[in-house]
């Protein structure tokens, strides 16, 4: 891994990566519980991951807590919305399984910026800590609050797991075992879990990029034409043949 704020320094220990995220968060926001719209940029290389760009945003809140600014609720809402409303992004609307979907803030915000549901994927967490006698099957079968792209259930590490430094590999193996051996989910286990979610996201992102490319290409073409007119006003450059810059940038965008 490599952080944008530490260019050239390569991290190979995920424990150190976690520590650096915490340290950089405190450097930017202080030791309290405030947030900043400035992202921590981390690039990861691994033979075991798919090509994705993921933006992890703060959870939506309804009240501020000790050490947070009075405007924190609106600040977080505005920050999340600024990413979610972009037409060339996919939205992962994360909701705990032990919460009523009707009260899901993430689904509400997703519906506001993506009313047709073309970009919204439901992610259901904490399935493993639901009350006995209840399950999330109807939600995962897309029957409770239907989304075009449906819902995917995942089981993440608990705070206890994090404190005991449970590895990602062990967590993923336990997650697979949970769905495969559970009475309510074994028949749909191949459509649950973090691995399925990542494969699905990779496929949807590639399809989404394909849909957005003509629009992006047109936007770049318009910008190029505006800049070429501006350049013409400064006089011609004998070293730059007409259309060279245009052709180069458009071919790069197409690739």
């Amino acid at each position: 891994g490599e952080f944008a704020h530490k260019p050239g320094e390569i991290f190979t220990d995920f424990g150190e990566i976690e520590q650096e995220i915490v340290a950089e968060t405190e450097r930017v926001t202080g030791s309290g519980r405030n947030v900043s719209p400035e992202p921590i940029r981390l690039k990861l290389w691994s033979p075991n991951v798919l090509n994705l760009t993921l933006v992890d945003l703060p959870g939506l809140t309804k009240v501020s807590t000790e050490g947070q600014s009075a405007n924190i609720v609106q600040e977080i809402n505005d920050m999340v919305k600024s990413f979610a409303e972009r037409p060339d992004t996919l939205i992962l609307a994360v909701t705990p399984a032990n919460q009523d979907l009707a009260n899901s803030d993430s689904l509400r915000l997703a519906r506001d910026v993506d009313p047709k549901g073309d970009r919204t994927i439901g992610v259901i967490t904490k399935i493993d800590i639901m009350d006995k006698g209840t399950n999330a099957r109807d939600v995962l079968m897309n029957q409770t609050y239907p989304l075009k792209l449906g819902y995917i259930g995942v089981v993440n590490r608990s705070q206890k797991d994090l404190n005991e430094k449970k590895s990602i590999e062990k967590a993923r193996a336990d997650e697979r075992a949970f769905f495969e051996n559970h009475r309510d989910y074994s028949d749909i286990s191949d459509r649950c879990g973090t691995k399925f979610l990542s494969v699905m996201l990779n496929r949807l992102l590639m399809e989404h990029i394909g849909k957005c490319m003509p629009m992006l290409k047109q936007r770049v073409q318009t910008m190029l034409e505006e800049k070429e007119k501006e350049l013409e006003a400064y006089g011609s450059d004998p070293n730059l043949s007409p259309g060279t810059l245009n052709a180069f940038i458009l071919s790069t965008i197409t690739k």
Side-chain angles (χ1 to χ4, degrees):
E2 181 181 17
F3 288 94
H5 63 270
K6 287 194 170 183
E9 183 175 345
I10 305 301
F11 291 75
T12 57
D13 184 322
F14 271 82
E16 292 181 3
I17 287 178
E18 290 178 14
Q19 292 171 16
E20 182 58 31
I21 290 172
V22 172
E24 181 65 10
T25 300
E26 291 183 352
R27 279 194 288 268
V28 174
T29 66
S31 57
R33 304 184 65 185
N34 288 309
V35 298
S36 167
E38 184 63 31
I40 297 174
R41 299 182 184 274
L42 169 64
K43 188 171 185 178
L44 297 172
W45 294 269
S46 169
N48 304 315
V49 298
L50 291 163
N51 189 21
L52 286 173
T53 299
L54 179 70
V55 181
D56 181 26
L57 293 157
L60 296 165
T61 60
K62 289 186 171 67
V63 294
S64 60
T65 60
E66 187 67 30
Q68 293 181 326
S69 72
N71 301 323
I72 191 79
V73 175
Q74 192 61 46
E75 288 174 8
I76 292 177
N77 188 80
D78 292 345
M79 187 195 309
V80 174
K81 196 168 186 178
S82 70
F83 283 93
E85 64 187 358
R86 299 175 188 176
D88 51 354
T89 63
L90 295 174
I91 303 167
L92 274 72
V94 181
T95 306
N98 52 8
Q99 174 187 322
D100 187 348
L101 280 185
N103 297 322
S104 171
D105 291 321
S106 59
L107 285 174
R108 173 188 53 76
L109 187 142
R111 187 170 58 238
D112 288 345
V113 299
D114 179 34
K116 293 183 179 179
D118 296 326
R119 305 185 286 117
T120 302
I121 305 155
V123 179
I124 306 299
T125 63
K126 301 185 179 179
I127 293 177
D128 54 324
I129 61 171
M130 294 183 73
D131 290 340
K132 287 185 178 181
T134 63
N135 63 60
R137 186 178 175 87
D138 286 349
V139 175
L140 297 180
M141 296 294 286
N142 208 21
Q143 295 172 349
T144 304
Y145 180 92
L147 292 175
K148 278 186 184 178
L149 301 179
Y151 295 84
I152 298 173
V154 299
V155 174
N156 293 320
R157 290 180 293 178
S158 65
Q159 188 58 52
K160 180 175 179 288
D161 293 333
L162 293 173
N163 294 341
E164 295 177 352
K165 305 205 180 302
K166 185 177 187 177
S167 70
I168 292 285
E169 292 78 13
K170 180 67 167 66
R172 294 289 75 86
D174 289 349
E175 179 187 46
R176 282 198 306 274
F178 172 83
F179 285 113
E180 289 174 357
N181 300 323
H182 198 287
R183 181 190 64 187
D184 298 317
Y185 310 121
S186 59
D187 62 322
I188 57 171
S189 61
D190 60 330
R191 288 181 281 137
C192 297
T194 304
K195 183 176 181 180
F196 178 75
L197 174 61
S198 63
V199 171
M200 175 71 80
L201 284 177
N202 177 259
R203 180 176 65 79
L204 290 173
L205 188 61
M206 295 305 291
E207 291 174 359
H208 197 61
I209 288 172
K211 292 175 184 175
C212 292
M213 189 57 71
M215 179 177 62
L216 176 62
K217 196 171 180 178
Q218 180 60 45
R219 199 187 318 164
V220 172
Q221 180 66 50
T222 302
M223 291 168 63
L224 280 170
E225 290 171 357
E226 291 173 353
K227 291 302 176 185
E228 283 178 348
K229 289 178 182 177
E230 187 178 334
L231 280 170
E232 287 172 3
Y234 296 128
S236 61
D237 181 348
N239 297 318
L240 188 64
S241 60
T244 301
L245 182 63
N246 188 346
F248 171 74
I249 295 181
L250 280 180
S251 65
T252 304
I253 287 291
T254 302
K255 289 177 184 176

